[in-house]
Amino acid sequence: MPRYSEERKQAILSKLQPPSNMSVAEVSRSEGIGLQTLYNWRNEARQQGHPMPGHNKTPDDWTSETKLATVIETAALSESELSEYC
């Protein structure tokens, strides 16, 4: 089983987030990584407080922790970067 650096994991997980918003299945196919591995990485990232998309597709369905993490993550973005993020 291949080992991935934390930087590589973060780069792969970033594809699940805006602006890419790829599904786990799409990332799995494009990166050649197993679905369960990606789900495990996503769950680990959530436990560490990183906002990660999932079954809750709209911000209205997000937990308070996810909303706060998103606000903190995007606070330093410029208007154009924030627009791209959204």
Side-chain angles (χ1 to χ4, degrees), residues 5-68:
S5 68
E6 283 302 314
E7 293 81 17
R8 182 70 180 135
K9 285 182 185 180
Q10 293 305 317
I12 292 168
L13 287 174
S14 70
K15 293 181 179 188
L16 299 173
Q17 300 173 317
S20 299
N21 289 327
M22 294 174 71
S23 70
V24 173
E26 290 172 325
V27 174
S28 174
R29 281 190 300 274
S30 71
E31 296 291 333
I33 298 173
L35 287 171
Q36 193 57 52
T37 299
L38 289 174
Y39 284 121
N40 289 342
W41 290 356
R42 186 182 69 180
N43 291 338
E44 287 173 10
R46 283 183 182 153
Q47 290 174 350
Q48 294 172 358
H50 300 285
M52 285 290 174
H55 298 296
N56 302 330
K57 296 294 184 185
T58 66
D60 292 335
D61 298 326
W62 293 357
T63 65
S64 298
E65 292 83 13
T66 302
K67 289 178 182 179
L68 177 61

